[in-house]
Structures are given as structure tokens and as C-alpha cells.
Amino acid sequence: MQIRGLINQARGNIPAAVNADIFGTGDAVVKYLLEGHSRGVNWVSFHPTLPLIISGADDRQVKLWRISETSAWEVDTFRGHLNNVSCTLFHPRQDLVISDGEDKTIRVWDQNRRTCLHTFRKESDRFWILAVHPTTNLIAAGHDTGMIVFKLQRERPPFATNEGNLFFVKESYIRSMNFDTARDSPLLMIQRNSNQGMGNAYGGSLGEMYGGQSDTPPAQTTPARSMSYNSQEHCILLNHVSNGGTYELYFLPRGAGGVSGDTPAEPRKGEGIGACFVGRNRIAVLDRARNNILIKDLHNETTKRVKCLLPGADWLFPAGVGYVLVKNEEKVILQDLQQKKIVAEISAVNVKYVVWSDDMSRVALLGKHILVIATRRLEHLATVHETVRIKSAAWDESGVIVYSTLNHLKYCLPNGDNGIINTLKDPVYVTRVRGPAVCYIDRNAIPGIFAIDPTEYAFKLMLLRKRYDDVRKMITENRLCGKAIIAYLQRKGFPEVALHFVRDERTRFNLAVDSGAIDIALGAAQELDEPEIWSTLAGAALKLGNIDVVELCYQRTKDLERLAFLYVLLGDKEKAAKMANIAESSRNFMAKFQICMYLGDVEGALSVLAECGQLALARVMAKAHGLTDMIKELGEEEDGGTSVAKGKLLPRPLPLSGEQSWPTLPVTRGLFTKDPHAEDFEEISGDYYEDAAALEASERERERGGWGEEERAALGKQPAATTVDPFAEELEQAKSPAVNTGGDGWGDDLDDFDFGGDEVQAPTPAQTGGDDFEVDAVEQAVQMKDYFVPPPPGPGVTVRWTRSAKLVGDLVAAGAFDDAMKLLSRQIGCKSFAAFDDVFRSVYLGCRASVPGLVNMPSPMVHMSRGVDQPKVAVTLESVTNLVHSARDSFAARKFNDAKALFSTVAASVPLLVLGTDKEVKEAVDMLTSSREYLLALACDRCRGEAKAAGNTAREVQLAAMFTHCELLPAHKILALRTAMKIAFDAKCFIFASGFARRLIDGNPNPPSQALKMIQYCDQNMTNAHEVDYDDRRDFVVEASQLVPLYAGQGRKDCSYCKANYRPECAGSTCTLCEIGSVGFSAEGLRVKTS
């Protein structure tokens, strides 16, 4: 009754129209009246499933309410906010409450314990609103200057695979799933905290992404970051990153017993980072504080301490018995724990996870946006860069790495070729790949499997390993399509392969020309019938000596000059004469004259000159060749004639060949043109994916001595296991591969040669002294001497430079400009590459030199190296230092345009340096910083001149003041202060002039008398005639875009390269000083050190 009375009273004070809009035509019934806040309530939210309400108000409190069918009451109050609470809500999947407020914080509360788990603080912005994504673990918060999106915890469930089993953590249990039977069963109940891992995981994500500060209370359990499994002792290690790094060791029950009771198992705990198994009963743990690797037994007792040989190490990964991979932010090393030495190392930025192949012969290093593939000795094979995060990876049995990103499932071959397999609706973590079946686990720790089509990467792998029979089978079965495959084949030098399944005539023509298949190109040209096509075909056919096709092309294009010259070279005078007649009939006098000269037909040439009206030239030519009759017909000259020496015709060229087509060396015919009706033809049987594991073993390179020879010998004696995956219906029943002991590993194509002429009979076993397989096929071919096999070209110098390049300077010197620009974008956030134009050219040309060659031969190119497969980079620390000195000299001489150009060149040259020591790196960074300050000073002076021309005195004084706050050399700083003092005095800003004079005197042993007089005069007139935004009593930096002071406490962004300061509104723009970096972009950092 009291509530209804209040409503009626409120209605009486509201106009009727407004009353109807608010309450409707009927009565509004108030169900609950919740009282408890002392000031205005800003936000109220319902729990998605429970009868709970959360509210936030201006009394700086968050209150939790419970409701029932008949009443509602306050449950508890969350206290901690220091200003008004703007918004609060429940987490949809965890027992958490999230709130934000005008105290510039976001707070996460434990709904059950009523305690604050985490506080994220942003220095400059107040938070106003929150929103939770309905399906994913994302939360958005709006603040004064924008919005942030974050997640509260790690979503990747810890898991490990071993042979046919998957071990993973779900809720409070360690579970196991058998890949063959798909049986999922709990093994052990473990200790889990109700907050599900709040703490460092949340603070790290927000703090790193948005630059805020986070306060995380101690003793909060985070989700396990990784898991390791010991198959011999049947135990599991769980690594946590909370509290400086901890680990838990659980022993799993053997047999089929599984979980017994509801009591969590008590683990053996310890402190350390990256615990992993390095032996049957040994664990390696990184003690980051002392930079040691602790070797412990399964009783968690330390048995040995090994010095960590990588400075700044922050995680360990398993690498086999007695070895461990140690990583820091820049590289990964393979450390031998027995001999206490570094076996190998590789550069890899911020590696998160490591995935070994089944036989431990190759390893994939997974970073945030990078995938590095290496051998067991960390020899680099390939690097893949992604624009989105890489989530997981697993090795295919054939040696292909299949990895998942946020929204795609992709593959990468050992040589670096990669592509997309399919699109993912939700992110998944790949656990195993077998044929067309991919096993995975999702963010809810639910295992699954889906089918893929491995045809594309299997085709590329077979092509890479020269399994041409399998490639041909896949083509004939039409299992490939798409322009991407065609472009890949053309790029990799296999245009003849692409010809077998291309239907577009223009594409077929281009591929045929590239592969030298003139007959196919001719058919395509006849279909297209375009002059450009015929001209291209003529050039290609002429290179291969196919005269018939060249003649046809010239005829189609009606190119009389080229056609006549071709006939002259071939010695066919009759056809050349016909060309002369055709030229005459078409009144092409120039063509007929040239043809007559080719044929030595002087009379024909004279007739052409006479017909064109060139009588004087005709008389001279007739006199030179003694044709008196023709002279009479042409008539005498008016001056009586001139004496002409007797002329001779040039000797006619000898015919190049008596045949219509030039001779060529007969070579072996490719597998793709092999006659299927030949007697030795054998159809390929079995699936191309069946023997993938054997292919991987055959292609594996031999390791150098001292690493795993005994292990490899043992592996070599073991029979290859047949893999069966019953998950996918598409998988066929496993077949035992046929064992071939006949030695036919060279394939069935060695007898398929096109020798021309009569067929050559192969020698019988009696002639060779044994069976067909005792003599090598290549030796037989050499003995027959009937064909020539060209040797395969090896990688060139620039290819080797590119493969071994780790720095931008090496890539530019090798000519890999695209890779260099991608690396610059990632390392320094390069947004504009125009500044690198001249520097790229200098570095590229600086490692190449031309030496004098033979007469009529091109000059050979010499590539200059500084080491094995390393180019000599022309930009050196000494040359950059000289540029800095020259720029400073130009600055002192007030040649500001020259100084700006030189400092800009310095800024563009520093990323291309190749340095060897930390001292040199520091010198390079100092020169970059100095160049930035001088460029800022030059920008101030340039804008000051513009303000002076516009009559803006206040702006002129402000820019002169900004000039003095650039970090210049002391001599140059004095010049800047003197200039600013004079400008301020002329503008009658005596306070500023006095300040500049005092700064000029401070620290100067010989202060100028002019400054002393300035102080005396200005102290008597402490006024400013103009209002200028400049206060030298407050700390500030010069804002680079508008050249105004940016005081302490104001938001700022910096350039990703030169670190110039900008307003937050400039985020995403190109830096105006270096003209290279992107404002506000978070880059990896400049890398110019070789190791």
C-alpha cells in the first residue's frame, strides 16, 4: 500500500502524456523495493541463471542482493572503490563480479568469498561501462578516451600427448582419452581453486596490452600453463606462472582403476619455472632468481644444479634425455645438462610452446605471431609469420606441421611453403594429425575430431620430394584445382606439371612457354590468335631453335623484315625473294630495300631508290657498282657528276643449318609424358598418403657426429608401425606396405628416354654381368652416350644469403626486399618505406661489383661476403657515425636543409646495421636518439620561420622555446638559447627572455655578458607581452606533431621506432620526424645484433 501510494503521488506530479509513456495505460506493479545504497544507483544487473542482483552506486559500494518469489534482501557489500561505481555485472560462466568506476579502476570480485581478486588501474581515464560477450570469454570496458577488450584468464587447457593417448585437465580432474577408441575417462582428482585462476593471467593481459598498472593479491591459483607426461613412471607435471612460477607433480593410477573418492590427490609441489622431464626419474626446473637449472628426482629433492647458459632465460622445454631447450625473449638454445654446454641455438622471438615430431628429428617453435621450424640441432628450416595469434600445432606423420590460428587451420612444409586447410568457427588446439583426421581439444577442454582434405599439402610435399609418380596420379585423378596450385607450380619451377590440369588457354600458353613446350604453346596461340601471343611464341621458339614455329609466327604477324632475315640466315633465297615481291606489292619500300641488300640484289635496290625518288642515291650506288646502263637510265647529274670509289657488297651470311629446325640434345622425357602403353609401364598402386612416414625417414638429413647416433641406429632397427585412426570415417583400413627388396628405388622411369631414331635395346643381364639392378641407371646412360642429363642447378649466392639472413641488412643485401620490409614492420612498426629507398639501393649495390670480362661478353658479377653465406653490408657503424658528424656540422653552419636530409638518412640507416657487440648496439641507439632530437629541433625552427612570416609572434616565441628543450650538443644548445633569448626580447616577453638567459648562464664557465645584461634588464620588467603556452617550471616533452609542450600527466603515445612523443589522438599515424615508425604501435624492437 505504501508503494502504491508513492506511485500514485508520482503520477500526480507528472503530465498525463508523460505518465502514459512511462507507466503505460495500465498500472505498473513494483515487485521489490531494495534499499541500502546511501547515494544514487548507477547500474543494476541480474545474474544470468541465479536469483541474484548486483548494483553499483555513487556511495562507492557494490551490493549483492538475493531475490525470491515474495521478497528481496541484501546479501553482502563489496568495498574497495575510491570513487563512484559506474557499472557492475556478473561473469556469465564463473562466480565472479566485475565492476568499474570513476576511480580509474576495473575490479574483479570473488562472488562467494566477497573479496577483491584483482584491480586494473588506468592512470588517465575513468571507466564508465562494461559489457560481456555472450559466447566468448571477452569483456569490454569503456573509458574517457576509448574502449578496451580483454579476457580474465588463460583459455588454453593444459594437455599432453603420448603415443595413442591424450592427457588433459578438465575442471578438477586429470583425464585421459585414447585416440583409437575415443574413450575419455577421469584419472585423478586434483586441487582447484574456485576462482579458476584469477590473478597474474588477467593482470598480464591487460597491463601488457594497454599500459596500465595491476595489483594482484598473493596466493591466487592460476590455470596450469603447460603439462608434461612421463610415460615410464606414469606421472604428470603441471606448470603454473603464479607466485613467480610453481609446479605440481601428480602420479597417475595404473590400470583401469581411475578416480576413487572425492578427495583431491596431494601433489608434490615446488617452486620454479618450466618444469619438464629430462629422464626417466629426473625433472629439470629453472631457478630464474639464481639463473640455475635444478635437476630433481621424483621425490622432489634436488640432486644437481646446472648453470643456465642463456642470459635472461624465462622458460624450459623438454628436448629428450639429458637435454633441455632454454628460451628468452630473443632466442632458444639447446643445452646439454650432462656436459653443461650449449649444443645449438636459434633466433626465435618470444617462443610460447614447443612441439616435437614423433621421432624427435624436427621441432616447431611457436610464438605469438611466428612459427619457426628447425632440425633437432636447431638448424633453421623455415619461418612463418602470421598476423593473428598462433594457438597450437602438431606434426603430421609425413613431416608436415599443421597449426591452428584464431580462425584458420593451416599447414607448413619443411621448406616453408604454407597454406590454409580450412576455416575454424571457434579456436581449437590441435593434438594429433593422422592422414585426413585432425584431433583437437577446445577451450572447454572437450576433445574432438574433424576431417580435412590433405590433398594440397600432400601434393606439394610429393613434389618437393620428387615423388613424380604420385604427383602424376593425383593430377590424373583430378584431385587438384584452383589458381593457387597453378601459381605455386609456376613459382616453384614446375610449369610443365601445371599444364596437365589447366583449361584456360591463356594460362596454358604462359605455362607452356615457361616450360618450353612449344607444341602446346602453338595450340594455345592458334586458339587465342592475338599478335602479342604470336610475338611471344616466336621469341620462345627462336630460343629453342624451332624454326618452323618461328616462321609461322612471323607469317601470322606479317613481320616481313624478321621473316626475310630468318630466310637469309637459313640460306633460303627463294623464300627471301618472295618476301621482296610481297614487300613491293604492299609498297613497303624500306622492307624491299633491306631484303635486296640481304640478297645482294643491287639492281633491285636501285629500282627501289628510283621508285622512291632518291635519284641522287641511286646514281651514287650505280657508279659504285659499275652499272653504266643504270646510270644512263637515271640520267647525268647537272654538275657533271662526282667521282665515287668502287663499292663491294658485304659477304652473304652462311646458312646456320641445312635443316629447318636446329639440332637439340635429346634428353630424358619427364614422367608426365611417359607412354602408358609401354611394356615397362606399371600403374601406381596404393594411396599417396600410405607410406608418408617412410618418406619422412628417407628424406631426413644425416645429423653430424656427436648427436644421437646410437639412438638413430636403434630407431633404424625398429620396424615402422602402421598407424590406424578409427575416428574418421574417411580413413581406409591400414594396409601393410609391400616390401621391395629388388633395389628399384630409382623408380620405373629410367628406361623411358626419347633418343630419336631407332629404339635402343637395353642390355641383357648376360651382357652386363648380372641382373638389371646391379648397374646404376645413370652409369648405364653415360656408357650409352646417347643423351645428356643436365646437372641440377644449386642455390645461388643470393639464395644462400636469404636463407641464412636474420637481420634486415642481410635481407636487403640479398635482394629479399619483401622479407626485409615485413621484418621492419614487425620489429619497428614501419608504416612508410619511402625513407628507405636510397639506403636499400646502397646496401643492395654495395655488396656487388662488376669485374672486366672477355670481349663481347657481359661483365661477371662478384658478390662480396663477410663470412659463410653472409653478405657484406655497406652500411656500417663507422659510416653512420660519419653521417652524424656531417649532419651536426651542417646544423652548426645553419645549413638546416642539408642537416635534415643527413639526419633522416641516419634514421633510415640504423635498422640496416649488422653489429656484433652490445656496445656497438648502444652506440647505434644513441645515434638514433640524437638524430630524433635534431630532427625535432629542425622542425621547430622550420615552423618558427613560418610563424614569423605569418606575423604570429606568440607562436614564434613558443617554437623558439621548444627549440631549447631538444637534447642537442652543448655548443648547439647555447646557439638555441641565444636565438630564443633574442626572439623573446624582441617580442617583449621579458619573463621568457630572462629564463633563457639564466639557462644560458647555468653550467657555462664563461657566461656571455649579453646574458647578464639581459637578466638585469628583464628583472626590472617582469612581463610578457604575449600569452604563450609554455611553462618551464613544469616537466614536459615536446609533442612532435604540433610542436607544443606535453606536460606530465597528459596522455601520450610514442613512435614505434624513434620513440618521439605524440598526443593520443595521433595513434596510427606515421611519425613526422623519422617518417618511418607508426605512432602508438607496439613493435618487437630494433634488432641489429648478429647473435
Side-chain angles (χ1 to χ4, degrees), residues 390-402:
I390 298 176
K391 294 296 183 180
S392 62
W395 287 94
D396 189 332
E397 54 191 353
S398 61
V400 177
I401 186 74
V402 176

mmCIF file with all atom_site columns, all heavy atoms in Angstrom, residues 390-402:
data_model
loop_
_atom_site.group_PDB
_atom_site.id
_atom_site.type_symbol
_atom_site.label_atom_id
_atom_site.label_alt_id
_atom_site.label_comp_id
_atom_site.label_asym_id
_atom_site.label_entity_id
_atom_site.label_seq_id
_atom_site.pdbx_PDB_ins_code
_atom_site.Cartn_x
_atom_site.Cartn_y
_atom_site.Cartn_z
_atom_site.occupancy
_atom_site.B_iso_or_equiv
_atom_site.pdbx_formal_charge
_atom_site.auth_seq_id
_atom_site.auth_comp_id
_atom_site.auth_asym_id
_atom_site.auth_atom_id
_atom_site.pdbx_PDB_model_num
ATOM 1  N N   . ILE A 1 390 ? 49.009 -17.540 -33.190 1.00 0.00 ? 390 ILE A N   1
ATOM 2  C CA  . ILE A 1 390 ? 49.124 -18.972 -33.423 1.00 0.00 ? 390 ILE A CA  1
ATOM 3  C C   . ILE A 1 390 ? 48.758 -19.679 -32.129 1.00 0.00 ? 390 ILE A C   1
ATOM 4  O O   . ILE A 1 390 ? 49.333 -19.398 -31.068 1.00 0.00 ? 390 ILE A O   1
ATOM 5  C CB  . ILE A 1 390 ? 50.542 -19.348 -33.881 1.00 0.00 ? 390 ILE A CB  1
ATOM 6  C CG1 . ILE A 1 390 ? 50.865 -18.649 -35.212 1.00 0.00 ? 390 ILE A CG1 1
ATOM 7  C CG2 . ILE A 1 390 ? 50.687 -20.854 -34.016 1.00 0.00 ? 390 ILE A CG2 1
ATOM 8  C CD1 . ILE A 1 390 ? 52.275 -18.894 -35.694 1.00 0.00 ? 390 ILE A CD1 1
ATOM 9  N N   . LYS A 1 391 ? 47.820 -20.596 -32.194 1.00 0.00 ? 391 LYS A N   1
ATOM 10 C CA  . LYS A 1 391 ? 47.301 -21.239 -30.998 1.00 0.00 ? 391 LYS A CA  1
ATOM 11 C C   . LYS A 1 391 ? 47.995 -22.555 -30.666 1.00 0.00 ? 391 LYS A C   1
ATOM 12 O O   . LYS A 1 391 ? 48.340 -22.820 -29.522 1.00 0.00 ? 391 LYS A O   1
ATOM 13 C CB  . LYS A 1 391 ? 45.788 -21.479 -31.159 1.00 0.00 ? 391 LYS A CB  1
ATOM 14 C CG  . LYS A 1 391 ? 44.962 -20.194 -31.237 1.00 0.00 ? 391 LYS A CG  1
ATOM 15 C CD  . LYS A 1 391 ? 45.054 -19.426 -29.932 1.00 0.00 ? 391 LYS A CD  1
ATOM 16 C CE  . LYS A 1 391 ? 44.190 -18.184 -29.961 1.00 0.00 ? 391 LYS A CE  1
ATOM 17 N NZ  . LYS A 1 391 ? 44.272 -17.417 -28.699 1.00 0.00 ? 391 LYS A NZ  1
ATOM 18 N N   . SER A 1 392 ? 48.177 -23.426 -31.637 1.00 0.00 ? 392 SER A N   1
ATOM 19 C CA  . SER A 1 392 ? 48.727 -24.750 -31.370 1.00 0.00 ? 392 SER A CA  1
ATOM 20 C C   . SER A 1 392 ? 49.278 -25.326 -32.657 1.00 0.00 ? 392 SER A C   1
ATOM 21 O O   . SER A 1 392 ? 49.098 -24.752 -33.747 1.00 0.00 ? 392 SER A O   1
ATOM 22 C CB  . SER A 1 392 ? 47.651 -25.678 -30.784 1.00 0.00 ? 392 SER A CB  1
ATOM 23 O OG  . SER A 1 392 ? 46.606 -25.847 -31.737 1.00 0.00 ? 392 SER A OG  1
ATOM 24 N N   . ALA A 1 393 ? 49.929 -26.480 -32.547 1.00 0.00 ? 393 ALA A N   1
ATOM 25 C CA  . ALA A 1 393 ? 50.487 -27.147 -33.715 1.00 0.00 ? 393 ALA A CA  1
ATOM 26 C C   . ALA A 1 393 ? 50.709 -28.617 -33.399 1.00 0.00 ? 393 ALA A C   1
ATOM 27 O O   . ALA A 1 393 ? 50.855 -29.008 -32.231 1.00 0.00 ? 393 ALA A O   1
ATOM 28 C CB  . ALA A 1 393 ? 51.803 -26.493 -34.149 1.00 0.00 ? 393 ALA A CB  1
ATOM 29 N N   . ALA A 1 394 ? 50.722 -29.426 -34.441 1.00 0.00 ? 394 ALA A N   1
ATOM 30 C CA  . ALA A 1 394 ? 51.016 -30.856 -34.319 1.00 0.00 ? 394 ALA A CA  1
ATOM 31 C C   . ALA A 1 394 ? 51.641 -31.323 -35.625 1.00 0.00 ? 394 ALA A C   1
ATOM 32 O O   . ALA A 1 394 ? 51.326 -30.799 -36.702 1.00 0.00 ? 394 ALA A O   1
ATOM 33 C CB  . ALA A 1 394 ? 49.750 -31.655 -34.005 1.00 0.00 ? 394 ALA A CB  1
ATOM 34 N N   . TRP A 1 395 ? 52.528 -32.311 -35.525 1.00 0.00 ? 395 TRP A N   1
ATOM 35 C CA  . TRP A 1 395 ? 53.227 -32.828 -36.694 1.00 0.00 ? 395 TRP A CA  1
ATOM 36 C C   . TRP A 1 395 ? 52.416 -33.934 -37.349 1.00 0.00 ? 395 TRP A C   1
ATOM 37 O O   . TRP A 1 395 ? 51.938 -34.854 -36.687 1.00 0.00 ? 395 TRP A O   1
ATOM 38 C CB  . TRP A 1 395 ? 54.600 -33.367 -36.310 1.00 0.00 ? 395 TRP A CB  1
ATOM 39 C CG  . TRP A 1 395 ? 55.593 -32.293 -35.990 1.00 0.00 ? 395 TRP A CG  1
ATOM 40 C CD1 . TRP A 1 395 ? 55.885 -31.785 -34.760 1.00 0.00 ? 395 TRP A CD1 1
ATOM 41 C CD2 . TRP A 1 395 ? 56.437 -31.608 -36.914 1.00 0.00 ? 395 TRP A CD2 1
ATOM 42 N NE1 . TRP A 1 395 ? 56.848 -30.814 -34.850 1.00 0.00 ? 395 TRP A NE1 1
ATOM 43 C CE2 . TRP A 1 395 ? 57.216 -30.685 -36.166 1.00 0.00 ? 395 TRP A CE2 1
ATOM 44 C CE3 . TRP A 1 395 ? 56.621 -31.674 -38.287 1.00 0.00 ? 395 TRP A CE3 1
ATOM 45 C CZ2 . TRP A 1 395 ? 58.146 -29.845 -36.759 1.00 0.00 ? 395 TRP A CZ2 1
ATOM 46 C CZ3 . TRP A 1 395 ? 57.544 -30.834 -38.872 1.00 0.00 ? 395 TRP A CZ3 1
ATOM 47 C CH2 . TRP A 1 395 ? 58.292 -29.940 -38.119 1.00 0.00 ? 395 TRP A CH2 1
ATOM 48 N N   . ASP A 1 396 ? 52.301 -33.834 -38.642 1.00 0.00 ? 396 ASP A N   1
ATOM 49 C CA  . ASP A 1 396 ? 51.755 -34.924 -39.433 1.00 0.00 ? 396 ASP A CA  1
ATOM 50 C C   . ASP A 1 396 ? 52.808 -36.026 -39.518 1.00 0.00 ? 396 ASP A C   1
ATOM 51 O O   . ASP A 1 396 ? 54.006 -35.785 -39.381 1.00 0.00 ? 396 ASP A O   1
ATOM 52 C CB  . ASP A 1 396 ? 51.396 -34.395 -40.831 1.00 0.00 ? 396 ASP A CB  1
ATOM 53 C CG  . ASP A 1 396 ? 50.621 -35.397 -41.649 1.00 0.00 ? 396 ASP A CG  1
ATOM 54 O OD1 . ASP A 1 396 ? 50.800 -36.594 -41.406 1.00 0.00 ? 396 ASP A OD1 1
ATOM 55 O OD2 . ASP A 1 396 ? 49.850 -34.992 -42.531 1.00 0.00 ? 396 ASP A OD2 1
ATOM 56 N N   . GLU A 1 397 ? 52.363 -37.250 -39.749 1.00 0.00 ? 397 GLU A N   1
ATOM 57 C CA  . GLU A 1 397 ? 53.292 -38.373 -39.849 1.00 0.00 ? 397 GLU A CA  1
ATOM 58 C C   . GLU A 1 397 ? 54.222 -38.254 -41.047 1.00 0.00 ? 397 GLU A C   1
ATOM 59 O O   . GLU A 1 397 ? 55.253 -38.908 -41.103 1.00 0.00 ? 397 GLU A O   1
ATOM 60 C CB  . GLU A 1 397 ? 52.512 -39.684 -39.936 1.00 0.00 ? 397 GLU A CB  1
ATOM 61 C CG  . GLU A 1 397 ? 51.496 -39.685 -41.062 1.00 0.00 ? 397 GLU A CG  1
ATOM 62 C CD  . GLU A 1 397 ? 50.551 -40.866 -40.984 1.00 0.00 ? 397 GLU A CD  1
ATOM 63 O OE1 . GLU A 1 397 ? 50.772 -41.738 -40.141 1.00 0.00 ? 397 GLU A OE1 1
ATOM 64 O OE2 . GLU A 1 397 ? 49.598 -40.891 -41.777 1.00 0.00 ? 397 GLU A OE2 1
ATOM 65 N N   . SER A 1 398 ? 53.891 -37.392 -42.009 1.00 0.00 ? 398 SER A N   1
ATOM 66 C CA  . SER A 1 398 ? 54.740 -37.228 -43.186 1.00 0.00 ? 398 SER A CA  1
ATOM 67 C C   . SER A 1 398 ? 55.740 -36.098 -43.045 1.00 0.00 ? 398 SER A C   1
ATOM 68 O O   . SER A 1 398 ? 56.490 -35.826 -43.964 1.00 0.00 ? 398 SER A O   1
ATOM 69 C CB  . SER A 1 398 ? 53.873 -36.969 -44.425 1.00 0.00 ? 398 SER A CB  1
ATOM 70 O OG  . SER A 1 398 ? 53.123 -35.787 -44.261 1.00 0.00 ? 398 SER A OG  1
ATOM 71 N N   . GLY A 1 399 ? 55.761 -35.406 -41.906 1.00 0.00 ? 399 GLY A N   1
ATOM 72 C CA  . GLY A 1 399 ? 56.718 -34.330 -41.704 1.00 0.00 ? 399 GLY A CA  1
ATOM 73 C C   . GLY A 1 399 ? 56.175 -32.952 -41.990 1.00 0.00 ? 399 GLY A C   1
ATOM 74 O O   . GLY A 1 399 ? 56.944 -32.006 -42.128 1.00 0.00 ? 399 GLY A O   1
ATOM 75 N N   . VAL A 1 400 ? 54.857 -32.799 -42.083 1.00 0.00 ? 400 VAL A N   1
ATOM 76 C CA  . VAL A 1 400 ? 54.217 -31.506 -42.291 1.00 0.00 ? 400 VAL A CA  1
ATOM 77 C C   . VAL A 1 400 ? 53.665 -31.041 -40.947 1.00 0.00 ? 400 VAL A C   1
ATOM 78 O O   . VAL A 1 400 ? 53.047 -31.819 -40.215 1.00 0.00 ? 400 VAL A O   1
ATOM 79 C CB  . VAL A 1 400 ? 53.088 -31.597 -43.335 1.00 0.00 ? 400 VAL A CB  1
ATOM 80 C CG1 . VAL A 1 400 ? 52.387 -30.261 -43.489 1.00 0.00 ? 400 VAL A CG1 1
ATOM 81 C CG2 . VAL A 1 400 ? 53.649 -32.061 -44.670 1.00 0.00 ? 400 VAL A CG2 1
ATOM 82 N N   . ILE A 1 401 ? 53.901 -29.784 -40.622 1.00 0.00 ? 401 ILE A N   1
ATOM 83 C CA  . ILE A 1 401 ? 53.374 -29.227 -39.374 1.00 0.00 ? 401 ILE A CA  1
ATOM 84 C C   . ILE A 1 401 ? 52.014 -28.602 -39.657 1.00 0.00 ? 401 ILE A C   1
ATOM 85 O O   . ILE A 1 401 ? 51.874 -27.781 -40.567 1.00 0.00 ? 401 ILE A O   1
ATOM 86 C CB  . ILE A 1 401 ? 54.352 -28.196 -38.769 1.00 0.00 ? 401 ILE A CB  1
ATOM 87 C CG1 . ILE A 1 401 ? 53.878 -27.735 -37.394 1.00 0.00 ? 401 ILE A CG1 1
ATOM 88 C CG2 . ILE A 1 401 ? 54.596 -27.045 -39.690 1.00 0.00 ? 401 ILE A CG2 1
ATOM 89 C CD1 . ILE A 1 401 ? 54.069 -28.735 -36.313 1.00 0.00 ? 401 ILE A CD1 1
ATOM 90 N N   . VAL A 1 402 ? 51.010 -29.022 -38.941 1.00 0.00 ? 402 VAL A N   1
ATOM 91 C CA  . VAL A 1 402 ? 49.651 -28.478 -39.047 1.00 0.00 ? 402 VAL A CA  1
ATOM 92 C C   . VAL A 1 402 ? 49.411 -27.631 -37.807 1.00 0.00 ? 402 VAL A C   1
ATOM 93 O O   . VAL A 1 402 ? 49.563 -28.121 -36.679 1.00 0.00 ? 402 VAL A O   1
ATOM 94 C CB  . VAL A 1 402 ? 48.606 -29.601 -39.157 1.00 0.00 ? 402 VAL A CB  1
ATOM 95 C CG1 . VAL A 1 402 ? 47.197 -29.021 -39.178 1.00 0.00 ? 402 VAL A CG1 1
ATOM 96 C CG2 . VAL A 1 402 ? 48.862 -30.433 -40.406 1.00 0.00 ? 402 VAL A CG2 1
#
